[in-house]
Amino acid sequence: MKGVLKSLGATANAFVRRPVTRQYPEMHRDLPERDRAFPILLWDDDIDEPYCTGCHACERACPVECMTVLMKDNPNHESVGGDSRRRKIIDKFWIDYARCMRCNICVEVCNFEAIAMNNTWTGHEVSVYDRADLVMDLPQLLAQHRAGELDEWVADI
Amino acid sequence: MTQPPPVLENEFETEDIFVNMGPQHPSTHGVFRMVLTIDGELITDVTPYVGYMHRGAEKLCETMDYRQGIGYMDRTEYLANFNAELSYVMAVERLAELEVPERATWIRMILCELNRLSSHFMFLGAFGTDVGVFGTAFVYGFRNREVIQDLFEEITGDRLMFAYFRAGGLAWEVPDNFETRVREVLKDSREGLRELDGLMTQNEIFRARTEGVGVITAEDAIDWGTSGPTLRASGVPMDIRRDEPYLFYDQVDFDVITGDHGDVFDRFYGRIREASESIKIIEQCLERLEPGPIVPDRLPRMLRTPAGEVYTRTEAPRGEYGIYLVSKGGNRPHRLKIRSACLSNLQALRDMTIGGYVADAVVILGSLDIVLCEVDR
């Protein structure tokens, strides 16, 4: 008798409580602020150019060699009449998301705080039909922060 | 003088059959294959085959500097990542003679014990499925594991592949609400353990399936080099946390859980009791946790170690997880060897299984709580 009442109680409890299932494509769970999806590049709004100078630090530190970096002279540098203090700037940048193992090392070694792990939900929705589409180029890597859609979190050590 | 009645041998022709179990069998916990030789319902021989998951993690680590290797340690032992990372960074620290700050050590201890808790929850869930009577245990176990895994995600940013420990300390500071969150999780886990204990330990069918099955004596267990809960179930009180304290395990108070019979039930019940001990340890660690630095003051940008070799071992949830590291100077290991607890435990499988029934083979394998990624590296 006691057991029956107990199980009825469990049923009643399940009847009134809110469901824990989330209807995924429409809604998703809240991510913690330090969530690590794939790395993306940051955009310097003050000067309107990327923070990245193409120094190859992240490329060298990457354990899985998923990055390719090319630098160029900055056409917007002070010496040529621009307003930027970056002598060199990123020319081409590819990150192969299929290889990336999201270890956060590129963020740690970056001297210019130009790269960050995507901590928004879009970083987790990168499924594609072709593997080649997972190789992200510079505009794709910059787009999200440029549009101001990244939740800021800076690691405190 | 009367003759005894003649023994009827080979009344009809029988022959042993071979049953290939795995590598895609759902209850082999990964890609593990064993060939069972069966005489009717009895197992007369077992030949295990490992290596389907071999990715050469040891060799890969030789091509990487010390920080890059941490990510690979996560992937060898995916149910107790913090414990695996800890062995590795401890080896590097000992080679490089780095001093770890006190706060970082306490946090490491809390995280490792929480990881043990989550690993044991995973075991309890999966083992319930292996025994075959419960889908319920699986859901119960995973419900509690998920709470811990969520906490790890809040701290490290990743749900499974943390890459959070660094040689010298931690990658970054824990969140401000760390203490309250850990206490919440502990409350949840204690409740979950109580439920799982009631659901499984006191179930008659479960005990009938597990008691007296897959027995291994203490001598055999030592001979095969088993460690962790598998060894302790046979009554050998060997626990590296107590025998060779690393971190601050010498400053906390906990019991080493041993069993009496060395059967499947002891291996199962030992883990439940061990999980309670973990909760006890974490609570003591939380008392001692004080603000402070989490990395040493003088940490070079690129860590280089002098030439030398070192072996560190830690008590991972499945047993002794050891790292043997040889350095010839420079920023990367010359040779890295992972001593996997699961591989040694798996070798005892043959002794445990022979003479048992086919249905018990799955239960015995499940009771070893193997992680095939760690076996094959």
Side-chain angles (χ1 to χ4, degrees), chain B residues 216-227 230-231 234 236 348 351:
Chain B
I216 188 160
T217 59
E219 289 78 30
D220 283 347
I222 292 171
D223 284 352
W224 282 115
T226 61
S227 52
T230 313
L231 180 61
S234 298
V236 185
D351 271 15

Side-chain angles (χ1 to χ4, degrees), chain A residues 29 31-32 34-36 60-64 101-105 108-111 153 155-157, chain B residues 64 67-68 71-72 75 150 153-158 161-163 166 171-175 295 301:
Chain A
R29 71 191 189 91
L31 292 174
R34 36 181 89 177
D35 184 76
R36 297 207 306 261
R60 276 199 301 271
C62 182
V64 288
M101 67 180 207
R102 310 190 298 175
C103 60
N104 204 47
I105 288 177
E108 274 168 41
V109 297
C110 184
N111 299 312
W153 179 69
D156 45 347
I157 290 190
Chain B
M64 300 179 182
R67 179 164 51 183
Q68 292 172 336
Y72 276 89
R75 282 154 180 80
D150 279 349
E153 188 175 2
E154 278 167 38
I155 296 166
T156 68
D158 212 328
M161 302 301 165
F162 311 125
R166 294 284 184 273
W172 50 77
E173 183 59 89
V174 291
V295 282
R301 217 174 154 73

Side-chain angles (χ1 to χ4, degrees), chain A residues 18-30 121 125:
Chain A
R18 290 175 54 180
V20 289
T21 313
R22 291 187 185 82
Q23 301 297 326
Y24 164 58
E26 284 85 39
M27 49 195 293
H28 52 77
R29 71 191 189 91
D30 298 328
W121 193 259
E125 292 178 329

Side-chain angles (χ1 to χ4, degrees), chain B residues 314-365:
Chain B
T314 58
E315 182 74 25
R318 269 156 284 281
E320 175 185 338
Y321 189 93
I323 295 282
Y324 176 60
L325 191 64
V326 182
S327 168
K328 292 204 167 175
N331 62 357
R332 55 191 61 184
H334 174 69
R335 173 80 172 101
L336 181 83
K337 166 85 176 78
I338 301 171
R339 193 269 183 201
S340 152
C342 290
L343 180 64
S344 308
N345 290 353
L346 201 54
Q347 292 177 53
L349 179 73
R350 192 162 176 274
D351 271 15
M352 292 174 188
T353 321
I354 288 180
Y357 291 106
V358 180
D360 292 336
V362 170
V363 180
I364 294 166
L365 182 66

Side-chain angles (χ1 to χ4, degrees), chain B residues 106-375:
Chain B
W106 286 116
I107 292 175
R108 278 181 182 185
M109 232 167 118
I110 292 172
L111 293 177
C112 283
E113 289 304 318
L114 274 174
N115 215 164
R116 185 186 316 276
L117 209 50
S118 91
S119 169
H120 282 347
F121 272 125
M122 168 93 187
F123 163 77
L124 295 175
F127 186 60
T129 319
D130 283 337
V131 175
V133 245
F134 313 103
T136 321
F138 189 76
V139 182
Y140 273 49
F142 265 63
R143 178 196 62 190
N144 285 97
R145 175 172 179 262
E146 213 51 40
V147 174
I148 303 175
Q149 228 66 39
D150 279 349
L151 172 66
F152 288 160
E153 188 175 2
E154 278 167 38
I155 296 166
T156 68
D158 212 328
R159 205 179 140 273
L160 216 52
M161 302 301 165
F162 311 125
Y164 183 59
F165 292 171
R166 294 284 184 273
L170 305 171
W172 50 77
E173 183 59 89
V174 291
D176 296 336
N177 61 353
F178 177 68
E179 254 186 84
T180 45
R181 283 286 289 124
V182 174
R183 281 185 206 281
E184 270 173 42
V185 167
L186 287 188
K187 190 162 157 281
D188 228 67
S189 304
R190 204 177 288 118
E191 182 70 11
L193 267 181
R194 201 180 55 76
E195 274 182 2
L196 273 165
D197 195 13
L199 184 72
M200 295 167 85
T201 318
Q202 285 154 35
N203 184 310
E204 208 175 318
I205 305 168
F206 180 82
R207 291 186 84 124
R209 281 296 306 274
T210 53
E211 274 177 336
V213 172
V215 179
I216 188 160
T217 59
E219 289 78 30
D220 283 347
I222 292 171
D223 284 352
W224 282 115
T226 61
S227 52
T230 313
L231 180 61
R232 288 195 286 273
S234 298
V236 185
M238 181 256 193
D239 190 325
I240 301 168
R241 289 176 295 174
R242 189 201 57 184
D243 301 341
E244 256 180 46
Y246 52 97
L247 299 183
F248 289 148
Y249 277 110
D250 47 348
Q251 298 181 31
V252 293
D253 173 44
F254 64 97
D255 294 334
V256 176
I257 309 293
T258 52
D260 303 324
H261 310 296
D263 58 0
V264 170
F265 181 77
D266 277 352
R267 290 197 278 278
F268 155 80
Y269 194 52
R271 284 191 169 95
I272 285 199
R273 288 168 64 198
E274 220 171 75
S276 315
E277 291 300 314
S278 286
I279 294 178
K280 222 165 88 185
I281 295 175
I282 298 167
E283 275 171 347
Q284 294 173 48
C285 293
L286 282 175
E287 302 287 315
R288 308 282 295 273
L289 194 62
E290 274 163 21
I294 53 161
V295 282
D297 301 331
R298 295 167 56 80
L299 194 62
R301 217 174 154 73
M302 174 64 80
L303 190 67
R304 285 171 205 284
T305 57
E309 57 181 69
V310 67
Y311 179 72
T312 53
R313 52 185 198 157
T314 58
E315 182 74 25
R318 269 156 284 281
E320 175 185 338
Y321 189 93
I323 295 282
Y324 176 60
L325 191 64
V326 182
S327 168
K328 292 204 167 175
N331 62 357
R332 55 191 61 184
H334 174 69
R335 173 80 172 101
L336 181 83
K337 166 85 176 78
I338 301 171
R339 193 269 183 201
S340 152
C342 290
L343 180 64
S344 308
N345 290 353
L346 201 54
Q347 292 177 53
L349 179 73
R350 192 162 176 274
D351 271 15
M352 292 174 188
T353 321
I354 288 180
Y357 291 106
V358 180
D360 292 336
V362 170
V363 180
I364 294 166
L365 182 66
S367 76
L368 292 176
D369 189 18
I370 46 166
V371 167
L372 260 299
C373 261
E374 192 196 328
V375 173

